[in-house]
Amino acid sequence: MTKVRQLPYGELAENGLNIRLAMEEATRCLLCDDAPCSHDCPAGTDPGRFIRAIRFRNFKGAARIIRENNILGATCAEICPQERLCEKACSRCGIDKPINIGRLQAFAMSMEKDMKFQVLEAGKPCGKKVACIGAGPSSLAVAAELAKKGVSVTILDENEKAGGVLRYGITPSRLSDDVIDQDIKAVTDLGVKIVLNKHVSKDDLCALMAEYDAVYVGVGQSASKMIPNMKGADLKGVDTALPFLKKARIANGKIGDLGNVVIIGGGDVAMDCASTARQCGAKSVTVSFVETWETMPASKKEVDYVVDLGVTIIPAFKPLEVIGDDKVSAVKLAAMEGNSSMTLDADTVIFAVGQKVSDDYKDIKADGKLFVGGDAALVRGATVVEAVKSGKEIAEAIAKFLQI
Ligand SMILES: Cc1cc2nc3c(=O)[nH]c(=O)nc-3n(C[C@H](O)[C@H](O)[C@H](O)COP(=O)(O)OP(=O)(O)OC[C@H]3O[C@@H](n4cnc5c(N)ncnc54)[C@H](O)[C@@H]3O)c2cc1C
Ligand code: SF4
Protein backbone atom coordinates (compact mmCIF):
# COMPACT_ATOMS: atom_id res chain seq x y z
CA MET A 1 0.00 0.00 0.00
CA THR A 2 1.40 3.40 -0.89
CA LYS A 3 0.10 6.85 -0.08
CA VAL A 4 1.12 9.86 -2.13
CA ARG A 5 0.93 13.12 -0.17
CA GLN A 6 1.92 16.16 -2.23
CA LEU A 7 -0.58 15.95 -5.09
CA PRO A 8 -1.18 18.20 -8.07
CA TYR A 9 -4.84 19.17 -8.47
CA GLY A 10 -7.04 16.19 -9.22
CA GLU A 11 -4.47 13.45 -8.71
CA LEU A 12 -5.71 10.76 -6.35
CA ALA A 13 -3.72 9.17 -3.55
CA GLU A 14 -3.02 5.50 -4.30
CA ASN A 15 -4.32 3.48 -1.38
CA GLY A 16 -6.40 0.68 -2.89
CA LEU A 17 -6.36 -3.01 -1.99
CA ASN A 18 -5.66 -5.83 -4.46
CA ILE A 19 -7.42 -9.22 -4.13
CA ARG A 20 -4.70 -10.72 -1.93
CA LEU A 21 -4.67 -7.77 0.51
CA ALA A 22 -8.48 -7.59 0.56
CA MET A 23 -8.73 -11.30 1.39
CA GLU A 24 -6.11 -10.90 4.13
CA GLU A 25 -8.00 -7.96 5.64
CA ALA A 26 -11.39 -9.74 5.38
CA THR A 27 -9.86 -12.78 7.11
CA ARG A 28 -9.17 -10.59 10.18
CA CYS A 29 -12.96 -10.03 10.51
CA LEU A 30 -14.51 -11.92 13.44
CA LEU A 31 -17.79 -12.45 11.52
CA CYS A 32 -19.65 -11.05 14.53
CA ASP A 33 -23.20 -12.06 15.13
CA ASP A 34 -25.40 -8.92 15.15
CA ALA A 35 -22.34 -7.00 13.89
CA PRO A 36 -21.68 -3.68 15.68
CA CYS A 37 -20.11 -2.19 12.54
CA SER A 38 -23.41 -2.68 10.69
CA HIS A 39 -25.39 -1.05 13.50
CA ASP A 40 -23.23 2.05 13.34
CA CYS A 41 -23.57 2.83 9.63
CA PRO A 42 -26.29 5.53 9.31
CA ALA A 43 -27.23 4.31 5.81
CA GLY A 44 -27.23 0.62 6.85
CA THR A 45 -24.47 -0.34 4.37
CA ASP A 46 -24.01 -3.55 6.40
CA PRO A 47 -20.23 -4.11 6.53
CA GLY A 48 -20.72 -7.26 8.64
CA ARG A 49 -22.42 -8.94 5.66
CA PHE A 50 -20.34 -7.59 2.78
CA ILE A 51 -17.06 -8.42 4.52
CA ARG A 52 -18.32 -11.98 5.04
CA ALA A 53 -19.04 -12.16 1.29
CA ILE A 54 -15.52 -10.92 0.45
CA ARG A 55 -14.07 -13.44 2.88
CA PHE A 56 -15.75 -16.23 0.89
CA ARG A 57 -14.56 -14.66 -2.41
CA ASN A 58 -18.12 -13.74 -3.33
CA PHE A 59 -17.22 -10.32 -4.73
CA LYS A 60 -20.46 -9.86 -6.68
CA GLY A 61 -22.44 -10.66 -3.54
CA ALA A 62 -20.40 -8.07 -1.62
CA ALA A 63 -21.12 -5.42 -4.28
CA ARG A 64 -24.82 -6.33 -4.20
CA ILE A 65 -25.07 -6.01 -0.40
CA ILE A 66 -23.43 -2.57 -0.53
CA ARG A 67 -25.52 -1.24 -3.44
CA GLU A 68 -28.83 -2.60 -2.11
CA ASN A 69 -28.26 -0.70 1.12
CA ASN A 70 -26.31 2.33 -0.03
CA ILE A 71 -26.56 3.47 -3.65
CA LEU A 72 -23.50 5.71 -3.10
CA GLY A 73 -21.34 2.77 -1.98
CA ALA A 74 -18.27 3.79 -3.99
CA THR A 75 -18.36 7.42 -2.80
CA CYS A 76 -18.95 6.52 0.85
CA ALA A 77 -16.02 4.08 0.73
CA GLU A 78 -13.76 7.05 -0.10
CA ILE A 79 -15.05 9.91 2.03
CA CYS A 80 -17.12 8.53 4.89
CA PRO A 81 -15.75 9.31 8.36
CA GLN A 82 -15.45 5.54 9.07
CA GLU A 83 -13.14 6.22 12.02
CA ARG A 84 -16.12 7.62 13.97
CA LEU A 85 -18.77 5.25 12.58
CA CYS A 86 -18.40 1.59 11.52
CA GLU A 87 -14.68 1.25 12.27
CA LYS A 88 -15.08 2.83 15.71
CA ALA A 89 -17.72 0.20 16.52
CA CYS A 90 -15.68 -2.74 15.17
CA SER A 91 -15.16 -5.56 17.71
CA ARG A 92 -11.53 -5.89 16.64
CA CYS A 93 -10.80 -2.49 18.24
CA GLY A 94 -10.64 -4.36 21.55
CA ILE A 95 -8.04 -6.81 20.20
CA ASP A 96 -5.66 -4.85 17.98
CA LYS A 97 -7.11 -2.46 15.39
CA PRO A 98 -10.43 -2.20 13.53
CA ILE A 99 -11.03 -3.89 10.21
CA ASN A 100 -10.27 -1.44 7.41
CA ILE A 101 -13.93 -1.32 6.37
CA GLY A 102 -13.59 1.69 4.07
CA ARG A 103 -10.85 0.06 2.00
CA LEU A 104 -12.78 -3.25 1.80
CA GLN A 105 -15.85 -1.36 0.61
CA ALA A 106 -13.73 0.46 -2.00
CA PHE A 107 -12.34 -2.94 -3.07
CA ALA A 108 -15.84 -4.42 -3.56
CA MET A 109 -16.89 -1.33 -5.53
CA SER A 110 -13.80 -1.50 -7.76
CA MET A 111 -14.58 -5.19 -8.42
CA GLU A 112 -18.13 -4.16 -9.41
CA LYS A 113 -16.67 -1.71 -11.91
CA ASP A 114 -13.89 -3.90 -13.30
CA MET A 115 -16.07 -7.03 -13.59
CA LYS A 116 -19.09 -5.01 -14.84
CA PHE A 117 -21.38 -6.61 -12.22
CA GLN A 118 -25.03 -5.57 -12.56
CA VAL A 119 -26.36 -5.99 -9.05
CA LEU A 120 -29.60 -3.98 -8.94
CA GLU A 121 -32.81 -4.13 -10.93
CA ALA A 122 -35.51 -1.53 -11.50
CA GLY A 123 -38.94 -2.52 -10.17
CA LYS A 124 -41.94 -3.34 -12.35
CA PRO A 125 -43.44 0.03 -13.47
CA CYS A 126 -46.12 1.08 -10.98
CA GLY A 127 -47.45 4.01 -13.03
CA LYS A 128 -46.30 6.73 -10.60
CA LYS A 129 -43.82 9.50 -11.33
CA VAL A 130 -41.72 11.60 -8.99
CA ALA A 131 -39.46 14.65 -9.55
CA CYS A 132 -36.37 15.31 -7.42
CA ILE A 133 -34.87 18.80 -7.33
CA GLY A 134 -31.08 18.62 -6.97
CA ALA A 135 -28.78 15.81 -8.05
CA GLY A 136 -26.84 15.52 -4.80
CA PRO A 137 -26.52 12.42 -2.58
CA SER A 138 -29.95 12.69 -0.98
CA SER A 139 -31.85 12.97 -4.29
CA LEU A 140 -29.78 10.17 -5.80
CA ALA A 141 -30.76 7.94 -2.85
CA VAL A 142 -34.46 8.92 -3.07
CA ALA A 143 -34.41 8.24 -6.82
CA ALA A 144 -32.69 4.84 -6.57
CA GLU A 145 -35.00 3.57 -3.83
CA LEU A 146 -38.12 4.67 -5.72
CA ALA A 147 -36.85 3.26 -9.05
CA LYS A 148 -36.40 -0.10 -7.32
CA LYS A 149 -40.12 0.13 -6.47
CA GLY A 150 -41.04 0.80 -10.12
CA VAL A 151 -41.52 4.59 -9.87
CA SER A 152 -40.48 6.72 -12.85
CA VAL A 153 -38.08 9.32 -11.40
CA THR A 154 -36.71 12.51 -12.98
CA ILE A 155 -33.94 14.48 -11.24
CA LEU A 156 -33.48 18.16 -12.14
CA ASP A 157 -30.24 20.00 -11.30
CA GLU A 158 -28.91 23.44 -12.12
CA ASN A 159 -25.32 22.26 -12.63
CA GLU A 160 -23.67 20.85 -15.75
CA LYS A 161 -22.92 17.58 -13.99
CA ALA A 162 -24.75 15.51 -11.38
CA GLY A 163 -23.41 14.86 -7.88
CA GLY A 164 -24.01 18.08 -5.92
CA VAL A 165 -21.28 18.67 -3.34
CA LEU A 166 -19.58 15.43 -4.37
CA ARG A 167 -18.86 16.96 -7.76
CA TYR A 168 -18.36 20.61 -6.93
CA GLY A 169 -17.34 20.75 -3.27
CA ILE A 170 -15.16 17.84 -2.17
CA THR A 171 -11.73 18.06 -3.79
CA PRO A 172 -10.92 15.51 -6.53
CA SER A 173 -7.82 14.42 -4.61
CA ARG A 174 -10.24 12.92 -2.05
CA LEU A 175 -13.03 11.91 -4.45
CA SER A 176 -12.43 11.43 -8.18
CA ASP A 177 -14.93 12.00 -10.99
CA ASP A 178 -14.61 8.27 -11.84
CA VAL A 179 -15.96 7.25 -8.43
CA ILE A 180 -18.84 9.76 -8.63
CA ASP A 181 -19.65 8.62 -12.19
CA GLN A 182 -19.72 4.98 -11.07
CA ASP A 183 -22.31 5.75 -8.38
CA ILE A 184 -24.40 7.92 -10.71
CA LYS A 185 -24.36 5.13 -13.30
CA ALA A 186 -25.80 2.80 -10.63
CA VAL A 187 -28.71 5.26 -10.33
CA THR A 188 -29.27 5.83 -14.08
CA ASP A 189 -28.99 2.07 -14.74
CA LEU A 190 -32.24 1.82 -12.75
CA GLY A 191 -33.90 4.04 -15.36
CA VAL A 192 -33.69 7.33 -13.44
CA LYS A 193 -33.55 10.37 -15.78
CA ILE A 194 -31.25 13.27 -14.87
CA VAL A 195 -31.96 16.66 -16.47
CA LEU A 196 -28.98 19.04 -16.05
CA ASN A 197 -28.55 22.82 -16.43
CA LYS A 198 -32.09 23.18 -15.07
CA HIS A 199 -32.54 25.66 -12.22
CA VAL A 200 -35.86 25.09 -10.45
CA SER A 201 -37.11 28.25 -8.75
CA LYS A 202 -39.70 28.13 -5.99
CA ASP A 203 -42.19 29.47 -8.54
CA ASP A 204 -41.52 26.46 -10.81
CA LEU A 205 -42.62 24.14 -7.98
CA CYS A 206 -46.34 24.57 -8.72
CA ALA A 207 -45.93 23.26 -12.27
CA LEU A 208 -43.86 20.31 -11.03
CA MET A 209 -46.46 19.53 -8.36
CA ALA A 210 -49.15 19.46 -11.04
CA GLU A 211 -47.10 17.23 -13.37
CA TYR A 212 -45.73 14.69 -10.85
CA ASP A 213 -47.31 12.46 -8.19
CA ALA A 214 -44.74 13.71 -5.64
CA VAL A 215 -41.85 16.17 -5.60
CA TYR A 216 -38.68 15.88 -3.51
CA VAL A 217 -36.63 18.99 -2.66
CA GLY A 218 -32.99 17.97 -2.16
CA VAL A 219 -31.32 21.30 -2.87
CA GLY A 220 -28.68 20.99 -0.11
CA GLN A 221 -27.03 24.04 1.41
CA SER A 222 -25.67 25.84 -1.62
CA ALA A 223 -25.31 29.39 -0.23
CA SER A 224 -22.27 30.50 1.80
CA LYS A 225 -22.52 32.06 5.24
CA MET A 226 -20.39 35.14 5.95
CA ILE A 227 -19.21 36.79 9.16
CA PRO A 228 -21.62 39.74 9.61
CA ASN A 229 -20.16 43.24 9.03
CA MET A 230 -16.70 41.96 8.11
CA LYS A 231 -14.75 45.00 6.93
CA GLY A 232 -13.18 44.47 3.49
CA ALA A 233 -15.33 41.44 2.64
CA ASP A 234 -16.21 42.96 -0.75
CA LEU A 235 -12.59 43.50 -1.88
CA LYS A 236 -11.32 41.67 -4.97
CA GLY A 237 -9.64 38.43 -4.00
CA VAL A 238 -12.13 37.65 -1.20
CA ASP A 239 -14.22 34.54 -1.78
CA THR A 240 -16.27 31.95 0.10
CA ALA A 241 -15.66 28.21 0.20
CA LEU A 242 -18.21 26.69 -2.18
CA PRO A 243 -17.72 29.13 -5.11
CA PHE A 244 -13.93 28.79 -4.73
CA LEU A 245 -14.05 24.96 -4.71
CA LYS A 246 -16.47 24.93 -7.65
CA LYS A 247 -14.27 27.28 -9.72
CA ALA A 248 -11.22 25.09 -9.03
CA ARG A 249 -13.11 21.94 -10.01
CA ILE A 250 -14.51 23.39 -13.25
CA ALA A 251 -11.12 24.82 -14.28
CA ASN A 252 -9.33 21.61 -13.24
CA GLY A 253 -7.16 23.57 -10.83
CA LYS A 254 -6.12 26.25 -13.32
CA ILE A 255 -7.63 29.27 -11.60
CA GLY A 256 -4.77 31.72 -12.02
CA ASP A 257 -2.26 33.02 -9.52
CA LEU A 258 -3.70 32.79 -6.00
CA GLY A 259 -0.57 34.18 -4.33
CA ASN A 260 -0.64 34.01 -0.52
CA VAL A 261 -3.94 32.45 0.58
CA VAL A 262 -5.58 32.88 3.99
CA ILE A 263 -8.56 30.67 4.82
CA ILE A 264 -10.88 31.52 7.69
CA GLY A 265 -12.61 28.51 9.26
CA GLY A 266 -11.65 25.33 11.09
CA GLY A 267 -13.94 22.69 9.61
CA ASP A 268 -13.50 20.04 6.92
CA VAL A 269 -14.68 22.51 4.28
CA ALA A 270 -11.84 24.89 5.25
CA MET A 271 -9.42 21.96 4.97
CA ASP A 272 -10.78 21.18 1.49
CA CYS A 273 -10.16 24.82 0.53
CA ALA A 274 -6.63 24.61 1.95
CA SER A 275 -5.65 21.45 0.05
CA THR A 276 -7.29 22.81 -3.11
CA ALA A 277 -5.41 26.13 -2.86
CA ARG A 278 -2.17 24.22 -2.32
CA GLN A 279 -2.84 21.94 -5.28
CA CYS A 280 -3.74 24.97 -7.44
CA GLY A 281 -0.21 26.31 -6.86
CA ALA A 282 -0.77 28.97 -4.15
CA LYS A 283 2.48 30.56 -2.91
CA SER A 284 1.49 29.93 0.72
CA VAL A 285 -1.67 28.74 2.48
CA THR A 286 -2.65 29.62 6.06
CA VAL A 287 -5.80 28.47 7.85
CA SER A 288 -7.03 30.36 10.90
CA PHE A 289 -10.02 29.70 13.13
CA VAL A 290 -11.49 30.74 16.47
CA GLU A 291 -11.37 27.28 18.06
CA THR A 292 -8.29 25.68 19.62
CA TRP A 293 -6.42 22.68 18.15
CA GLU A 294 -8.44 20.46 20.48
CA THR A 295 -11.87 21.91 19.72
CA MET A 296 -11.57 22.62 15.98
CA PRO A 297 -14.34 20.82 14.09
CA ALA A 298 -12.25 19.40 11.19
CA SER A 299 -11.40 15.70 11.34
CA LYS A 300 -7.85 14.86 12.40
CA LYS A 301 -7.28 12.98 9.14
CA GLU A 302 -8.00 16.11 7.07
CA VAL A 303 -5.93 18.38 9.31
CA ASP A 304 -2.95 15.99 9.11
CA TYR A 305 -3.37 15.90 5.34
CA VAL A 306 -3.18 19.69 4.88
CA VAL A 307 -0.33 20.00 7.37
CA ASP A 308 1.56 17.43 5.26
CA LEU A 309 0.88 19.63 2.23
CA GLY A 310 2.70 22.51 3.98
CA VAL A 311 -0.35 24.50 5.14
CA THR A 312 0.18 26.74 8.20
CA ILE A 313 -2.48 26.48 10.92
CA ILE A 314 -3.26 29.35 13.31
CA PRO A 315 -5.82 28.31 15.95
CA ALA A 316 -7.65 30.58 18.42
CA PHE A 317 -7.57 33.79 16.31
CA LYS A 318 -10.56 35.63 14.88
CA PRO A 319 -10.53 37.84 11.77
CA LEU A 320 -10.88 41.56 12.50
CA GLU A 321 -10.75 42.97 8.98
CA VAL A 322 -9.65 42.28 5.43
CA ILE A 323 -7.23 45.03 4.36
CA GLY A 324 -6.73 46.45 0.84
CA ASP A 325 -7.72 49.25 -1.55
CA ASP A 326 -9.46 47.70 -4.50
CA LYS A 327 -7.87 44.27 -3.96
CA VAL A 328 -7.06 42.43 -0.75
CA SER A 329 -3.48 42.79 0.50
CA ALA A 330 -3.66 41.49 4.10
CA VAL A 331 -5.89 40.12 6.86
CA LYS A 332 -5.80 41.31 10.46
CA LEU A 333 -6.41 38.64 13.11
CA ALA A 334 -6.91 39.03 16.88
CA ALA A 335 -6.21 36.39 19.52
CA MET A 336 -9.27 34.91 21.21
CA GLU A 337 -7.53 35.35 24.56
CA GLY A 338 -5.28 38.29 25.52
CA ASN A 339 -4.65 41.39 23.41
CA SER A 340 -2.29 40.14 20.71
CA SER A 341 -3.07 40.56 17.03
CA MET A 342 -1.27 39.83 13.76
CA THR A 343 -1.50 40.94 10.15
CA LEU A 344 -0.93 38.34 7.43
CA ASP A 345 -0.06 39.21 3.81
CA ALA A 346 -2.84 37.89 1.60
CA ASP A 347 -3.70 37.97 -2.11
CA THR A 348 -6.67 35.64 -1.67
CA VAL A 349 -8.92 35.29 1.39
CA ILE A 350 -11.47 32.49 1.56
CA PHE A 351 -14.19 32.45 4.22
CA ALA A 352 -15.19 28.86 5.01
CA VAL A 353 -17.53 29.67 7.89
CA GLY A 354 -20.51 27.54 6.98
CA GLN A 355 -23.21 26.97 4.37
CA LYS A 356 -26.97 27.54 4.38
CA VAL A 357 -29.99 26.77 2.25
CA SER A 358 -30.39 29.26 -0.64
CA ASP A 359 -32.90 32.10 -0.04
CA ASP A 360 -35.31 30.52 -2.52
CA TYR A 361 -35.76 27.38 -0.40
CA LYS A 362 -34.81 28.54 3.10
CA ASP A 363 -38.34 28.27 4.51
CA ILE A 364 -39.51 25.25 2.54
CA LYS A 365 -41.43 22.66 4.52
CA ALA A 366 -42.76 19.23 3.64
CA ASP A 367 -46.44 19.46 2.76
CA GLY A 368 -48.71 16.85 1.17
CA LYS A 369 -47.01 15.65 -2.00
CA LEU A 370 -43.95 17.86 -1.32
CA PHE A 371 -41.03 16.22 0.55
CA VAL A 372 -37.82 17.88 1.82
CA GLY A 373 -34.62 16.13 2.96
CA GLY A 374 -30.81 15.89 2.94
CA ASP A 375 -28.87 19.01 3.97
CA ALA A 376 -31.79 21.23 2.87
CA ALA A 377 -33.75 20.02 5.90
CA LEU A 378 -30.93 20.70 8.38
CA VAL A 379 -29.56 23.74 10.19
CA ARG A 380 -25.98 22.47 9.79
CA GLY A 381 -24.89 20.32 6.83
CA ALA A 382 -24.26 16.67 7.63
CA THR A 383 -22.38 13.92 5.78
CA VAL A 384 -22.96 11.95 2.59
CA VAL A 385 -23.88 8.78 4.44
CA GLU A 386 -26.48 10.75 6.43
CA ALA A 387 -27.84 12.24 3.18
CA VAL A 388 -28.24 8.65 1.90
CA LYS A 389 -30.03 7.72 5.13
CA SER A 390 -32.33 10.74 4.73
CA GLY A 391 -32.96 9.82 1.07
CA LYS A 392 -33.90 6.24 1.99
CA GLU A 393 -36.32 7.43 4.68
CA ILE A 394 -37.91 9.98 2.35
CA ALA A 395 -38.32 7.32 -0.36
CA GLU A 396 -40.18 5.15 2.15
CA ALA A 397 -42.42 8.11 3.07
CA ILE A 398 -43.10 8.86 -0.62
CA ALA A 399 -43.88 5.18 -1.30
CA LYS A 400 -46.35 5.20 1.59
CA PHE A 401 -47.92 8.41 0.28
CA LEU A 402 -48.22 6.89 -3.22
CA GLN A 403 -49.55 3.65 -1.70
CA ILE A 404 -47.12 1.45 -3.66
C1 LIG B 1 -16.65 21.22 0.86
C2 LIG B 1 -17.43 20.09 1.48
C3 LIG B 1 -16.76 18.93 1.85
C4 LIG B 1 -17.48 17.86 2.39
N1 LIG B 1 -16.80 16.72 2.71
C5 LIG B 1 -17.48 15.65 3.15
C6 LIG B 1 -16.82 14.42 3.42
O1 LIG B 1 -15.60 14.31 3.30
N2 LIG B 1 -17.56 13.35 3.82
C7 LIG B 1 -18.90 13.41 3.96
O2 LIG B 1 -19.53 12.40 4.27
N3 LIG B 1 -19.58 14.58 3.74
C8 LIG B 1 -18.90 15.69 3.34
N4 LIG B 1 -19.57 16.86 3.10
C9 LIG B 1 -21.03 16.93 3.34
C10 LIG B 1 -21.84 16.30 2.18
O3 LIG B 1 -21.24 16.58 0.95
C11 LIG B 1 -23.28 16.78 2.22
O4 LIG B 1 -23.82 16.45 3.48
C12 LIG B 1 -24.14 16.14 1.11
O5 LIG B 1 -23.59 16.41 -0.17
C13 LIG B 1 -25.59 16.65 1.18
O6 LIG B 1 -26.31 16.09 0.11
P1 LIG B 1 -27.62 16.80 -0.46
O7 LIG B 1 -28.14 15.90 -1.53
O8 LIG B 1 -28.52 17.15 0.65
O9 LIG B 1 -27.14 18.21 -1.08
P2 LIG B 1 -26.02 18.66 -2.10
O10 LIG B 1 -24.88 17.71 -2.21
O11 LIG B 1 -25.72 20.06 -1.72
O12 LIG B 1 -26.78 18.67 -3.51
C14 LIG B 1 -27.79 19.60 -3.80
C15 LIG B 1 -27.89 19.79 -5.30
O13 LIG B 1 -29.03 20.60 -5.59
C16 LIG B 1 -28.71 21.55 -6.59
N5 LIG B 1 -29.62 22.68 -6.49
C17 LIG B 1 -29.69 23.59 -5.48
N6 LIG B 1 -30.68 24.49 -5.75
C18 LIG B 1 -31.22 24.12 -6.93
C19 LIG B 1 -32.27 24.65 -7.72
N7 LIG B 1 -32.96 25.73 -7.32
N8 LIG B 1 -32.58 24.05 -8.90
C20 LIG B 1 -31.89 22.95 -9.31
N9 LIG B 1 -30.87 22.40 -8.58
C21 LIG B 1 -30.55 22.98 -7.41
C22 LIG B 1 -27.28 21.91 -6.24
O14 LIG B 1 -26.64 22.54 -7.31
C23 LIG B 1 -26.70 20.52 -5.90
O15 LIG B 1 -26.27 19.88 -7.09
C24 LIG B 1 -18.87 17.97 2.60
C25 LIG B 1 -19.54 19.15 2.27
C26 LIG B 1 -18.83 20.22 1.74
C27 LIG B 1 -19.56 21.49 1.40
S1 SF4 C 1 -17.54 -5.46 13.96
FE1 SF4 C 1 -15.50 -5.70 12.95
S2 SF4 C 1 -14.97 -7.83 13.32
FE2 SF4 C 1 -17.20 -7.69 13.68
S3 SF4 C 1 -18.22 -8.15 11.70
FE3 SF4 C 1 -17.89 -5.92 11.75
S4 SF4 C 1 -15.89 -5.64 10.73
FE4 SF4 C 1 -15.98 -7.82 11.30
Side-chain angles (χ1 to χ4, degrees):
M1 241 190 275
T2 54
K3 181 123 184 156
V4 184
R5 276 317 201 165
Q6 182 84 35
L7 303 164
Y9 188 84
E11 193 174 309
L12 259 190
E14 174 55 60
N15 58 0
L17 298 178
N18 58 27
I19 293 185
R20 184 179 62 78
L21 291 173
M23 294 300 295
E24 270 178 31
E25 188 62 9
T27 305
R28 290 180 59 240
C29 173
L30 305 170
L31 304 180
C32 306
D33 193 26
D34 203 16
C37 56
S38 295
H39 277 287
D40 277 29
C41 173
T45 313
D46 210 351
R49 275 178 65 228
F50 79 68
I51 294 172
R52 181 185 289 261
I54 294 174
R55 191 159 158 171
F56 292 104
R57 290 189 84 94
N58 178 2
F59 303 137
K60 187 171 183 180
R64 178 177 295 113
I65 292 163
I66 295 168
R67 282 274 178 229
E68 272 173 355
N69 294 311
N70 180 349
I71 194 68
L72 300 185
T75 296
C76 284
E78 300 301 332
I79 54 148
C80 228
Q82 289 104 358
E83 72 284 358
R84 58 181 167 86
L85 296 171
C86 54
E87 291 181 8
K88 188 175 179 197
C90 176
S91 309
R92 267 218 88 118
C93 290
I95 302 173
D96 45 12
K97 57 179 184 179
I99 304 297
N100 198 336
I101 298 172
R103 288 301 86 210
L104 285 174
Q105 186 169 324
F107 167 78
M109 291 289 88
S110 69
M111 290 302 279
E112 177 202 54
K113 189 174 177 199
D114 295 348
M115 306 302 290
K116 300 191 170 41
F117 295 147
Q118 278 293 339
V119 292
L120 295 182
E121 269 180 34
K124 209 164 133 268
C126 68
K128 302 288 184 189
K129 51 183 195 168
V130 169
C132 297
I133 308 169
S138 69
S139 278
L140 293 166
V142 170
E145 292 303 312
L146 290 176
K148 287 194 276 179
K149 295 178 191 293
V151 177
S152 162
V153 187
T154 303
I155 297 178
L156 309 148
D157 193 288
E158 62 192 8
N159 284 318
E160 257 176 45
K161 291 184 177 179
V165 168
L166 309 182
R167 187 78 72 180
Y168 293 104
I170 297 171
T171 71
S173 56
R174 294 204 292 123
L175 181 65
S176 71
D177 277 336
D178 285 355
V179 171
I180 305 167
D181 290 343
Q182 184 186 351
D183 279 347
I184 287 170
K185 182 172 179 304
V187 178
T188 52
D189 280 354
L190 291 168
V192 172
K193 289 189 265 323
I194 303 184
V195 179
L196 297 167
N197 298 308
K198 174 73 191 150
H199 176 81
V200 182
S201 69
K202 219 169 164 187
D203 294 342
D204 299 330
L205 270 181
C206 281
L208 283 182
M209 302 271 275
E211 189 182 344
Y212 290 88
D213 297 299
V215 174
Y216 171 66
V217 178
V219 293
Q221 300 195 347
S222 53
S224 299
K225 285 189 187 161
M226 189 60 193
I227 299 172
N229 307 319
M230 175 56 55
K231 199 169 164 215
D234 51 355
L235 291 171
K236 275 191 206 139
V238 178
D239 210 341
T240 50
L242 287 186
F244 168 73
L245 292 167
K246 189 170 179 179
K247 262 182 270 170
R249 188 82 179 218
I250 290 171
N252 200 22
K254 297 183 179 54
I255 49 172
D257 186 6
L258 295 169
N260 295 309
V261 178
V262 176
I263 295 157
I264 306 295
D268 284 332
V269 176
M271 299 306 134
D272 265 348
C273 291
S275 59
T276 299
R278 204 85 189 100
Q279 291 158 3
C280 290
K283 194 169 157 195
S284 73
V285 181
T286 304
V287 180
S288 179
F289 42 87
V290 294
E291 297 88 352
T292 61
W293 273 108
E294 292 71 34
T295 57
M296 68 186 290
S299 69
K300 189 176 175 318
K301 193 165 79 180
E302 295 315 317
V303 179
D304 289 350
Y305 179 59
V306 301
V307 168
D308 276 5
L309 291 177
V311 170
T312 305
I313 309 272
I314 305 180
F317 271 79
K318 65 176 178 197
L320 284 185
E321 67 169 298
V322 182
I323 300 165
D325 292 328
D326 173 41
K327 195 178 173 325
V328 51
S329 58
V331 187
K332 188 167 182 192
L333 306 173
M336 295 301 287
E337 280 183 22
N339 297 321
S340 61
S341 64
M342 65 171 96
T343 302
L344 302 175
D345 287 347
D347 306 289
T348 306
V349 178
I350 302 162
F351 284 87
V353 291
Q355 284 78 237
K356 57 184 181 177
V357 181
S358 66
D359 282 348
D360 228 9
Y361 287 98
K362 72 171 191 269
D363 298 319
I364 192 107
K365 295 268 175 302
D367 183 15
K369 57 158 60 175
L370 185 71
F371 295 79
V372 185
D375 278 4
L378 302 172
V379 178
R380 271 181 77 108
T383 57
V384 174
V385 76
E386 285 163 304
V388 172
K389 174 183 188 239
S390 164
K392 287 172 73 174
E393 288 168 357
I394 298 274
E396 277 309 311
I398 294 177
K400 201 167 159 203
F401 172 76
L402 299 176
Q403 298 183 323
I404 52 169

